[in-house]
Amino acid sequence: MYGFINTCLKSLLIEKFGEETWEHLKTKTGIEDTFMTYTVYDDAVTMKLVQETCKTLKVSEEAVLKLFGEYFFSFCKMSGYDRMLRTLGGNLMEFIENLDALHSYLALSYQEMNAPSFRVERTDGMLLLHYYSDRKGLYHIVPGILEAVSRDFFESEVTLKILHQDVEEERTGKKEHVVFFLSQNEKEAKNGIEEKIASAGGDCQEDEKVTKLGLDAAFQKGKEEYVLHQLEKKSHWDIVRHIVKFRREDLIRTLEPFFPERLWVEERTFCCAFPFHVVFDETLKIKQAGVNIQKFVPGLQIYGTRLDEYFSIVHPQVTFTIFSIRKFINSQFVLKIRRDALPNLWTRRPMLKLRGQMIWMDSMKCMMYLCSPKLRSLEELEEQGMHLSDIAQHDTTRDLILFNQQRLAEIELSNQLERKKEELRILSKNLEAEKKKSEALLYAMLPKHVANQLKEGKKVEAGDFSCCTILFSDVVTFTNICSACEPIQIVNMLNSMYSRFDRLTSVHGVYKVETIGDAYMVVGGIPVPVSSHAERVANFALGMRIAAREVMNPLTDKPIQIRIGVHTGPVLAGVVGEKMPRYCLFGDTVNTASRMESHGLPDKIHLSPTTFRALSHQVFEMVERGEIQVKGKGKMTTHFLRKNLHATENEIMGRLEETSGTLESDHGKNVVLMKYAEDSLTARDTEHREDAAGAESDAPHGEDSQQKKEVSLPNLSESAAPSALCVLF
């Protein structure tokens, strides 16, 4: 089927059932998103889509196909075929009888179109519609199309019922033959006399008893009386003129044509005037042929030649007998020259096709085939060795070839535009995917609101955060490991460790600031201020200690050990550098957190006094280390964090549990977000939390709610940019 059909089906599914349904069906069937109008697709694509639609929507295939038939008619009208369809016939029967001719015309544009065939049969007062198709199981489309046509074009209701379905013996190509019983009920149109009778104030009871037949009779009688009354005042010729004018419609309907006693056309003139025609009898013996058909099929000049020796019937696909031809007499016949009937010098030529009408002459018991060459373009005309002069001047095939030449050029241009459009769509889709990748990488390096401001060329102001929690960690005996191992072993070890730590940042909602060698730095409460920043970092630290046990020391082949230090306090945060901008933290809090890590012990989480006070003693188990001497800080009473009393190891590690929270994906792994107090915020607050952080980052945050304070960072180059481990205050 052509892409036009699949595009119609896609449009139907989107319009009737929504974009989500189409996306689901497209994924299930594995078909492409866009179809080229003039590109031929395998029938299996359409049938697979129809079958999957039935399964998804849980409806019968009959209902889906009938709905498609109704929509297909509307889709054709919207696609510019409205006027063409309206002019096919004055009633539904004429419309159906001319469908084959329409398909024949459309085949000029859709050369590989394999359309169904229709035939109307009137027997014993019944109207039977015969439907023939090479495709099985699509006959339910027919009632949908014809019911929509009848309602729209002819203001009537039509009903089609299947009488039987089989394969007819006369047919040689069509696989399916379905016979419909067709019943039509015309709507009663309202006319002027009905309005007058309905609005009259006379005998209401008598008006109610008037039937449609009585109404028509009353209207006709009233019209005649009115005309006779008017004619009494007219002259003789005026009366005749009015009678002829008044009865003109009746005269047209009852007109019987005049036929001469003999045909006033000589044989030579007729054969030249209709250069492509053949007359043959019931045994298919040729009695007469046009001059040009003899020119291109020389064998027709031989007396007693049978037509089926030189031609085969392409459409309708019936056996080559008078009985079959008469049965489909109202169809357009396409005959094709047999290759074995041509001279050897012509065997390389494409086989000429003739298209025309079969006319049965009962008195002579002969059939006349009036036809023309079936050619689509000037190129095909040249391939047949023909010229426009070979076609009669009255034959519209001349104009059709010239017109279709331009039409084919427009189709080729349309195909090119569709291909370019599809290429642009794919490029745009790929560009969007790459853009998301680059944004994901950028957001991994910088906070989202900071990255968006930098992309827009805006200056990012530094901001005070009155309270946050900072964590540092490093690998115990990292220097010894580096001196004894290969560089690739060190890289693999750090990559394995940092990948686990990065996953935990998503679980607990903390921000990874940077890594320097074996040092890993995160912060809670920045850039998105949250009140549970100390709790988040504490849980993250517990998760780090568990994750580190899964990473092996390449030197000893045992789990590595890490030291962790945590401190809570105010910081200044901002972006430094232009070539490789970094979001860094500055202040004494950074220095103190680093001191907690350097003065810690292996496999221990070292807490400063402020972090100890920020954590709930009912939630976390902490033990006092005692008073120690901290370089640059003097004596401090610190603690070690042991465990979370209310959270399991799986919850801390973000592993899948039935009782866990929202499930998300991080690098193809399942990540279960741990719930905190801020998670009870509304969805809208959660979505805009980070955007709000862009404005809030310029002001201090915390329980004391200090006055807003802005600090502009100096424009430092990359080489002069201080590390976050350095202290400016």
Side-chain angles (χ1 to χ4, degrees):
M1 295 186 184
Y2 275 89
F4 182 83
I5 303 295
N6 294 330
T7 302
C8 174
L9 185 54
K10 171 187 173 181
S11 179
L12 167 64
L13 293 172
I14 292 176
E15 181 175 322
K16 299 293 184 181
F17 307 105
E19 187 77 34
E20 298 80 8
T21 303
W22 165 250
E23 292 296 332
H24 171 75
L25 292 171
K26 183 182 69 173
T27 304
K28 290 281 288 184
T29 56
I31 62 175
E32 55 191 272
D33 185 66
T34 304
F35 301 99
M36 303 296 178
T37 302
Y38 297 100
T39 300
V40 180
Y41 295 86
D42 195 318
D43 288 0
V45 174
T46 309
M47 297 307 301
K48 188 177 181 181
L49 186 56
V50 170
Q51 293 167 1
E52 193 61 41
T53 301
C54 297
K55 294 179 183 178
T56 302
L57 302 178
K58 296 181 179 179
V59 294
S60 65
E61 190 169 311
E62 176 183 352
V64 171
L65 291 175
K66 185 174 181 180
L67 179 63
F68 173 73
E70 294 176 359
Y71 188 82
F72 181 70
F73 170 66
S74 302
F75 190 77
C76 290
K77 289 173 58 181
M78 292 186 295
S79 301
Y81 295 100
D82 183 32
R83 180 172 294 178
M84 183 184 297
L85 292 172
R86 287 183 182 275
T87 55
L88 279 186
N91 54 56
L92 184 61
M93 297 305 102
E94 294 177 355
F95 180 92
I96 297 173
E97 289 174 345
N98 283 279
L99 280 177
D100 283 10
L102 173 64
H103 291 152
S104 177
Y105 167 75
L106 293 177
L108 297 174
S109 301
Y110 302 89
Q111 189 174 9
E112 298 182 41
M113 180 176 66
N114 185 10
S117 181
F118 298 90
R119 177 172 65 89
V120 178
E121 180 183 1
R122 298 172 176 85
T123 56
D124 301 329
M126 296 175 59
L127 289 177
L128 302 181
L129 172 63
H130 294 261
Y131 162 83
Y132 304 91
S133 176
D134 283 341
R135 301 177 177 92
K136 292 185 178 181
L138 297 182
Y139 56 89
H140 293 296
I141 296 177
V142 177
I145 294 178
L146 294 185
E147 288 176 10
V149 169
S150 182
R151 285 193 300 268
D152 194 324
F153 288 171
F154 308 113
E155 297 184 353
S156 63
E157 295 293 335
V158 66
T159 304
L160 283 83
K161 296 181 180 179
I162 299 175
L163 291 184
H164 66 268
Q165 176 185 358
D166 57 10
V167 177
E168 196 174 61
E169 293 181 358
E170 292 95 316
R171 308 294 289 186
T172 58
K174 300 297 183 183
K175 301 182 180 67
E176 189 167 59
H177 173 208
V178 180
V179 181
F180 295 91
F181 170 68
L182 192 150
S183 60
Q184 186 177 16
N185 300 318
E186 297 184 359
K187 298 179 180 178
E188 296 181 3
K190 293 183 178 180
N191 51 33
I193 191 67
E194 289 179 287
E195 296 176 359
K196 290 182 180 180
I197 293 178
S199 61
D203 192 352
C204 297
Q205 294 182 353
E206 185 176 342
D207 290 344
E208 292 177 357
K209 298 179 182 178
V210 176
T211 62
K212 187 178 187 304
L213 292 176
L215 187 63
D216 293 341
F219 170 69
Q220 187 67 19
K221 181 179 179 181
K223 187 164 64 171
E224 293 176 355
E225 290 178 352
Y226 170 79
V227 172
L228 292 176
H229 176 71
Q230 294 295 325
L231 292 180
E232 291 178 356
K233 306 175 183 179
K234 303 290 182 179
S235 64
H236 171 75
W237 289 111
D238 288 335
I239 293 174
V240 172
R241 188 179 298 110
H242 276 81
I243 290 176
V244 171
K245 183 178 180 181
F246 181 74
R247 292 290 186 180
R248 182 172 56 188
E249 294 182 2
D250 295 335
L251 289 173
I252 292 175
R253 292 174 182 173
T254 60
L255 177 65
E256 293 186 3
F258 167 76
F259 296 103
E261 295 181 358
R262 57 179 293 267
L263 187 63
W264 291 85
V265 179
E266 63 178 358
E267 292 80 357
R268 180 182 295 271
T269 302
F270 186 87
C271 290
C272 292
F274 298 94
F276 289 92
H277 83 275
V278 180
V279 177
F280 54 96
D281 61 15
E282 294 178 313
T283 62
L284 302 182
K285 289 184 178 180
I286 298 175
K287 300 295 185 181
Q288 177 180 316
V291 293
N292 284 345
I293 198 171
Q294 298 178 36
K295 174 181 176 182
F296 294 99
V297 189
L300 299 184
Q301 296 176 334
I302 303 174
Y303 179 78
T305 300
R306 287 173 54 91
L307 189 64
D308 57 351
E309 294 176 1
Y310 289 88
F311 291 93
S312 60
I313 299 180
V314 177
H315 179 85
Q317 295 178 355
V318 297
T319 54
F320 216 139
T321 64
I322 286 292
F323 174 77
S324 297
I325 293 175
R326 291 189 62 181
K327 191 170 185 179
F328 293 86
I329 195 71
N330 291 325
S331 300
Q332 185 181 70
F333 276 77
V334 177
L335 269 58
K336 181 179 180 180
I337 297 178
R338 299 168 62 97
R339 185 173 295 276
D340 55 2
L342 292 177
N344 294 332
L345 296 177
W346 293 5
T347 53
R348 293 186 179 182
R349 288 185 184 179
M351 295 299 96
L352 177 65
K353 292 182 181 179
L354 301 175
R355 176 181 58 191
Q357 176 186 8
M358 292 287 183
I359 302 174
W360 175 248
M361 298 179 289
D362 193 55
S363 60
M364 303 177 65
K365 301 301 178 182
C366 288
M367 184 76 71
M368 180 168 62
Y369 180 47
L370 285 175
C371 57
S372 301
K374 186 180 181 182
L375 302 172
R376 300 175 66 246
S377 62
L378 295 176
E379 181 181 358
E380 292 185 3
L381 187 74
E382 293 175 348
E383 290 175 352
Q384 295 294 341
M386 299 178 64
H387 301 84
L388 287 177
S389 58
D390 292 323
I391 304 173
Q393 294 187 12
H394 62 78
D395 194 339
T396 56
T397 304
R398 281 173 167 241
D399 299 329
L400 189 61
I401 294 174
L402 296 175
F403 168 77
N404 203 55
Q405 182 71 27
Q406 181 181 358
R407 171 67 175 161
L408 291 175
E410 294 175 354
I411 290 175
E412 180 58 29
L413 180 60
S414 176
N415 286 335
Q416 294 178 9
L417 291 176
E418 284 191 348
R419 285 193 292 268
K420 293 296 182 183
K421 180 181 177 181
E422 180 63 12
E423 290 175 4
L424 289 175
R425 188 189 68 81
I426 295 175
L427 289 175
S428 176
K429 184 178 180 180
N430 294 337
L431 179 62
E432 188 65 26
E434 294 300 323
K435 181 181 177 182
K436 289 182 179 179
K437 291 180 182 178
S438 62
E439 286 181 346
L441 182 61
L442 181 61
Y443 294 153
M445 299 174 60
L446 295 170
K448 187 174 182 179
H449 71 276
V450 172
N452 290 336
Q453 291 183 47
L454 291 176
K455 285 197 302 182
E456 295 171 2
K458 297 180 180 179
K459 183 180 179 181
V460 181
E461 299 292 340
D464 278 340
F465 290 83
S466 62
C467 193
C468 69
T469 300
I470 300 176
L471 176 148
F472 279 94
S473 74
D474 73 343
V475 179
V476 179
T477 66
F478 183 69
T479 304
N480 296 336
I481 296 174
C482 290
S483 61
C485 297
E486 295 292 332
I488 189 61
Q489 293 177 301
I490 305 300
V491 172
N492 291 337
M493 181 191 73
L494 292 178
N495 182 61
S496 177
M497 181 178 67
Y498 288 162
S499 297
R500 288 170 167 79
F501 292 172
D502 291 345
R503 180 180 176 277
L504 288 172
T505 61
S506 300
V507 175
H508 300 287
V510 295
Y511 178 69
K512 175 184 175 182
V513 181
E514 65 178 344
T515 59
I516 300 178
D518 64 325
Y520 194 92
M521 177 183 179
V522 299
V523 61
I526 295 177
V528 180
V530 290
S531 60
S532 60
H533 53 83
E535 181 183 357
R536 291 172 183 268
V537 173
N539 285 326
F540 177 78
L542 292 171
M544 290 179 73
R545 191 169 60 181
I546 298 172
R549 295 169 187 165
E550 302 173 357
V551 182
M552 296 297 127
N553 185 331
L555 189 61
T556 64
D557 202 24
K558 295 180 180 180
I560 62 172
Q561 288 186 320
I562 60 174
R563 281 190 300 263
I564 302 173
V566 184
H567 178 60
T568 302
V571 296
L572 174 70
V575 178
V576 294
E578 291 182 347
K579 185 176 181 181
M580 293 181 64
R582 302 297 301 271
Y583 188 74
C584 298
L585 308 180
F586 305 94
D588 188 58
T589 300
V590 179
N591 187 40
T592 304
S594 179
R595 293 288 183 264
M596 290 296 101
E597 176 267 322
S598 61
H599 288 70
L601 298 177
D603 204 32
K604 298 290 185 180
I605 302 172
H606 197 197
L607 304 179
S608 71
T610 54
T611 303
F612 172 75
R613 291 191 294 270
L615 294 175
S616 172
H617 296 260
Q618 285 76 29
V619 178
F620 295 96
E621 180 183 338
M622 296 170 285
V623 295
E624 184 178 342
R625 180 182 185 184
E627 191 176 71
I628 63 171
Q629 185 70 30
V630 179
K631 182 180 179 180
K633 299 298 178 181
K635 294 183 178 181
M636 297 178 65
T637 301
T638 61
H639 295 74
F640 287 126
L641 174 63
R642 283 188 174 180
K643 62 181 179 180
N644 188 317
L645 299 174
H646 300 290
T648 65
E649 182 177 310
N650 284 336
E651 288 177 330
I652 291 175
M653 294 301 294
R655 295 169 183 159
L656 186 61
E657 280 186 347
E658 294 181 359
T659 58
S660 298
T662 307
L663 184 65
E664 293 190 356
S665 176
D666 181 48
H667 303 295
K669 300 179 180 179
N670 290 330
V671 178
V672 182
L673 305 186
M674 192 166 179
K675 292 185 177 179
Y676 292 93
E678 289 79 7
D679 295 334
S680 60
L681 295 172
T682 62
R684 182 178 178 183
D685 292 337
T686 303
E687 291 175 1
H688 296 289
R689 183 194 294 169
E690 194 163 291
D691 294 335
E696 294 172 355
S697 62
D698 293 336
H701 295 271
E703 298 175 355
D704 52 356
S705 301
Q706 297 178 3
Q707 186 71 20
K708 176 181 178 183
K709 178 181 179 182
E710 293 187 359
V711 180
S712 297
L713 291 175
N715 187 11
L716 302 174
S717 65
E718 180 188 6
S719 59
S723 168
L725 299 178
C726 300
V727 181
L728 296 184
F729 295 169

